[in-house]
Amino acid sequence: MESDDSLSELVYEHMLLSRYALQGAPPHSRTEALDRSSTVLLARLQAGGPMSVAELAQSFGLDISTVHRQVAAAMKGGLIERIQDPEGGVARKHQATKEGARRLADEFRARREASRRFLADWSPEDITTLATLTRRFNENVEASRGQAWPRDYDRDV
């Protein structure tokens, strides 16, 4: 285990990283930007396929009413649509619309471009190390919560 100083530095830098991640591709540099909740919802649906509000709430560790509001807002914006359960279940599922998938792809493309600018003087090995350690951290958090995030994602997103 690292020293308390290192952990304190990590916690602080993580806070800044989450702040910068939301500001990495500012809306003024493109025609449209997705809000955080729509981005996370769309990414989760893309990674895991259609889900009910209850399944989304469970996967996020949030209460159903919170996720229901987020899904409703994304539906109003034309990003998510309600469908019959592809597996024949009773609960209605949600999936990204074509517009939602396009907007998510645009969001990740803008974030990649911003990251490319921020990391321009980094070696490919350093970028790989950062990605590997960040994934390891996230997977440990997910394991402790019993809520793994699927990572069978489209690398072009």
Side-chain angles (χ1 to χ4, degrees):
M1 176 64 71
E2 293 294 316
S3 73
D4 283 345
D5 288 345
S6 293
L7 286 174
S8 294
E9 182 179 3
L10 175 62
V11 167
Y12 195 84
E13 293 300 330
H14 184 266
M15 179 271 306
L16 289 174
L17 177 63
S18 64
R19 178 178 178 266
Y20 295 148
L22 297 176
Q23 297 176 344
H28 65 269
S29 69
R30 54 198 163 124
T31 57
E32 54 190 355
L34 283 176
D35 62 84
R36 181 185 179 278
S37 65
S38 293
T39 301
V40 174
L41 281 170
L42 289 167
R44 184 64 174 92
L45 291 170
Q46 182 179 42
M51 298 176 77
S52 68
V53 169
E55 291 168 331
L56 285 164
Q58 182 179 11
S59 73
F60 295 140
L62 297 172
D63 63 273
I64 290 176
S65 63
T66 298
V67 175
H68 181 57
R69 282 191 302 275
Q70 292 173 347
V71 168
M75 288 179 67
K76 184 177 179 181
L79 304 173
I80 293 176
E81 62 189 351
R82 188 177 294 126
I83 62 168
Q84 295 290 331
D85 184 345
E87 297 175 8
V90 177
R92 302 281 289 204
K93 302 281 182 158
H94 297 85
Q95 68 180 12
T97 61
K98 287 182 182 178
E99 176 68 7
R102 181 194 67 76
R103 297 265 313 268
L104 181 65
D106 288 349
E107 183 69 26
F108 278 109
R109 190 174 304 108
R111 289 179 184 209
R112 271 195 316 276
E113 289 306 313
S115 294
R116 186 173 282 115
R117 288 191 311 272
F118 301 145
L119 301 170
D121 63 343
W122 287 41
S123 71
E125 295 80 15
D126 284 348
I127 296 170
T128 298
T129 298
L130 178 62
T132 299
L133 293 175
T134 303
R135 179 177 179 156
R136 183 176 164 194
F137 176 85
N138 287 335
E139 287 175 337
N140 283 353
V141 171
E142 293 161 13
S144 74
R145 294 179 176 178
Q147 297 169 320
W149 187 280
R151 286 185 168 76
D152 185 21
Y153 57 84
D154 182 349
R155 299 265 180 207
D156 292 331
V157 172

